Amino acid sequence: MKIRKVTKDKAYNEFLNDPSYSLLIKNLESYGNKIFNLNRKANLQAFMEGFTFYTSLSYRGTPIDIIPRLLPLHLFSKISSYLIARNYVLNRLIKEVYEEKSAPLPDWILKTTPYFRPEMIGFTPPKGIYTHVYGADIVRVNGTPFILEDNLRIPSGISYSYKAFEYSMRFAPDLAEGYKILNLSGLEYLYDILRYVSGTKDPVIVLLTDGCYNSAYFEHRFISEKLGLILAEPSDIIIKDGEVVVDTVDEGEVHVDVIYRRIEDLDYLTPGLMKAYLRGWVTLANAPGTGIADDKATFVWIPYLAERYNVKLDGVIQPLTFCLYEKENLEKVLNYPTRFVIKKREGYGGIGLSIIKDDQINVLKEVVREYENFIAQEVLDFDTVVSVVGDSYYETYADLRFFTYYDKVATAVLSRVGILGSRVTNNSSGGLVKPVWIIE
């Protein structure tokens, strides 16, 4: 195999150095150059089947690399235990802020975060659960997992893991020869937690989308179809005295028990829904106000919060991360900018992220001007993989996104791949998606 190297550092290549890949490499070599054509066919088929991502006023196919990433079961189990414990910490933090009216975070974070919802103070969500769905971004450094971000507002990507897995198995099934691969799970966990918080055995669940121009609309349709949820837009939601209903095409107005929301601006798009939620007429997932735990400034304090709640976070490392609100931290970044990734507190999807080491992006003036809105995280030379891009193999950076449904972690794990040597792996930034096989 001829592999083109475009990464700038001597990162550990998981594909070439991890013994679990030896059989996959052998299977891959048996395909020869046919693998490139099969990868093209998989991408064309995916586009024709609507596996798309909306960006810049147009739909584009979600690029797939059908060569899987391997995750040993023992490592998956270790990461899963960590994420369940971390999700407990995040949920406990939100509960303390809103229900106990305590401030376990520095006062300036809660005063400046755009995600704090004062209406939630004194309100207890059904079953005491705020974070029904939690997405965590993890990379490996010489095989050791590091967590980069928590995603609690509207975490997305579970559908991409299912589809990447499907296309890999459909177009290159012989790659799996000799492996025992766990079946995918995740969507059933989503349904279980939504049903649990509904308080009924057979709830009416709506997936609330803002429509076909949402970048993740494919996922909205995918989940609604797989789980039998009603896919509704804000105009379909009607708030009546004592209940929330959805106006459906076939059955007319139907009472709603749970809304799995995939939009953030409830006040503008669905006026009155927040008030209905606080009155107990409907359950929302994730709960409004979870964004205080999603704020990147909060990420810095998670190890402290774990100690506060007597929770052990073992098995995954949190890299050096600090807020630039403190003057000494700001000076450290200004003096050594290439050592850090600069992130806006409210950034997502690669927006508001600058890797000075790779891109030489001049963001320091903005950082100085609005220092309280940024954090810095040490640059990690995280592990690379091998991916098909066009008619060649490339060494690429890749991350892992895990999905936790309160106390269960999906085996449907997504690996996102940066291209042309980029460490930015988000789909909105042009990254590929890779299937992940959890192997026994």
Side-chain angles (χ1 to χ4, degrees):
M1 293 176 62
K2 183 179 179 181
I3 301 170
R4 297 189 179 186
K5 184 175 177 64
V6 292
T7 56
K8 297 180 180 179
D9 301 291
K10 295 180 180 178
Y12 174 87
N13 188 291
E14 178 183 296
F15 186 90
L16 298 176
N17 291 284
D18 189 326
S20 61
Y21 281 85
S22 58
L23 184 56
L24 177 61
I25 292 173
K26 181 180 177 182
N27 294 341
L28 189 58
E29 288 175 338
S30 69
Y31 274 97
N33 289 334
K34 290 191 300 182
I35 197 69
F36 303 125
N37 190 43
L38 291 171
N39 197 69
R40 278 193 296 272
K41 287 183 177 180
N43 276 270
L44 177 59
Q45 187 66 34
F47 181 77
M48 293 174 64
E49 293 177 0
F51 186 39
T52 56
F53 190 86
Y54 185 81
T55 183
S56 301
L57 303 179
S58 65
Y59 286 95
R60 67 169 176 82
T62 302
I64 304 168
D65 167 27
I66 61 174
I67 301 177
R69 192 171 184 187
L70 306 182
L71 190 63
L73 179 58
H74 68 86
L75 181 58
F76 171 78
S77 299
K78 180 169 70 171
I79 294 173
S80 295
S81 296
Y82 173 89
L83 292 177
I84 291 169
R86 190 176 180 100
N87 193 36
Y88 173 84
V89 171
L90 295 167
N91 198 76
R92 183 68 181 82
L93 159 66
I94 303 166
K95 176 183 174 67
E96 184 172 3
V97 170
Y98 291 122
E99 295 183 43
E100 300 170 19
K101 304 176 186 178
S102 178
L105 297 172
D107 190 52
W108 68 267
I109 294 179
L110 293 177
K111 285 183 176 180
T112 59
T113 182
Y115 308 124
F116 178 71
R117 297 297 301 252
E119 318 96 296
M120 292 290 291
I121 294 176
F123 176 79
T124 301
K127 311 296 185 181
I129 297 175
Y130 290 87
T131 55
H132 311 78
V133 184
Y134 162 46
D137 293 342
I138 287 177
V139 297
R140 296 176 68 184
V141 180
N142 294 323
T144 301
F146 282 68
I147 186 164
L148 298 184
E149 289 186 4
D150 299 308
N151 299 273
L152 286 89
R153 284 174 291 153
I154 310 172
S156 63
I158 186 78
S159 65
Y160 299 91
S161 59
Y162 273 89
K163 296 302 289 185
F165 188 98
E166 173 193 331
Y167 289 120
S168 180
M169 289 297 188
R170 191 195 308 183
F171 286 89
D174 291 345
L175 292 179
E177 186 68 32
Y179 285 105
K180 188 174 182 181
I181 304 166
L182 262 62
N183 292 328
L184 295 190
S185 65
L187 290 183
E188 64 271 40
Y189 301 157
L190 170 61
Y191 186 82
D192 287 346
I193 191 61
L194 295 178
R195 181 175 59 182
Y196 174 68
V197 297
S198 76
T200 65
K201 290 184 178 180
D202 190 22
V204 174
I205 304 174
V206 165
L207 192 155
L208 182 59
T209 176
D210 51 359
C212 61
Y213 295 119
N214 185 290
S215 60
Y217 185 67
F218 167 82
E219 175 156 289
H220 302 172
R221 288 191 297 105
F222 180 86
I223 293 174
S224 68
E225 291 170 2
K226 292 293 184 181
L227 296 182
L229 310 185
I230 298 172
L231 185 64
E233 297 186 20
S235 60
D236 300 319
I237 301 297
I238 302 169
I239 294 136
K240 293 189 171 183
D241 187 23
E243 69 172 338
V244 175
V245 301
V246 59
D247 189 3
T248 65
V249 174
D250 297 328
E251 301 177 37
E253 295 182 359
V254 177
H255 169 81
V256 178
D257 297 297
V258 180
I259 293 178
Y260 173 38
R261 63 187 185 96
R262 295 301 297 264
I263 64 175
E264 190 161 357
D265 197 345
L266 294 174
D267 299 323
Y268 176 73
L269 295 173
T270 53
L273 184 58
M274 184 69 182
K275 185 178 291 185
Y277 169 66
L278 294 175
R279 290 178 175 176
W281 298 352
V282 71
T283 297
L284 299 180
N286 282 346
T290 57
I292 59 172
D294 191 83
D295 189 311
K296 290 179 173 55
T298 301
F299 180 90
V300 175
W301 295 88
I302 299 303
Y304 157 76
L305 292 169
E307 290 185 11
R308 181 182 179 90
Y309 304 137
N310 197 28
V311 175
K312 289 186 177 181
L313 295 180
D314 297 328
V316 178
I317 297 173
Q318 180 164 313
L320 173 65
T321 312
F322 47 81
C323 300
L324 300 189
Y325 184 84
E326 292 83 6
K327 185 176 179 180
E328 60 270 24
N329 290 339
L330 177 61
E331 291 178 349
K332 188 183 299 183
V333 169
L334 295 178
N335 290 332
Y336 305 100
T338 59
R339 296 181 183 179
F340 302 101
V341 180
I342 311 298
K343 298 181 179 181
K344 278 192 172 181
R345 288 170 56 188
E346 72 276 14
Y348 64 95
I351 299 170
L353 182 150
S354 298
I355 305 174
I356 308 297
K357 186 173 183 179
D358 285 352
D359 304 323
Q360 298 301 316
I361 299 174
N362 184 15
V363 298
L364 298 184
K365 289 182 180 179
E366 184 181 2
V367 169
V368 171
R369 187 171 61 249
E370 301 179 11
Y371 55 89
E372 71 277 5
N373 291 329
F374 291 88
I375 69 163
Q377 191 170 79
E378 65 177 311
V379 173
L380 297 177
D381 290 329
F382 55 92
D383 296 355
T384 58
V385 294
V386 171
S387 300
V388 169
V389 182
D391 287 337
S392 299
Y393 293 110
Y394 284 85
E395 184 176 31
T396 53
Y397 291 105
D399 71 358
L400 294 162
R401 173 164 284 191
F402 289 78
F403 303 93
T404 302
Y405 298 95
Y406 190 60
D407 60 355
K408 293 185 177 67
V409 178
T411 59
V413 180
L414 176 64
S415 185
R416 300 174 301 179
V417 180
I419 59 173
L420 300 178
S422 174
R423 287 183 180 84
V424 181
T425 60
N426 308 82
N427 300 129
S428 53
S429 301
L432 309 170
V433 296
K434 224 183 206 317
V436 176
W437 294 352
I438 298 174
I439 55 173
E440 297 187 37

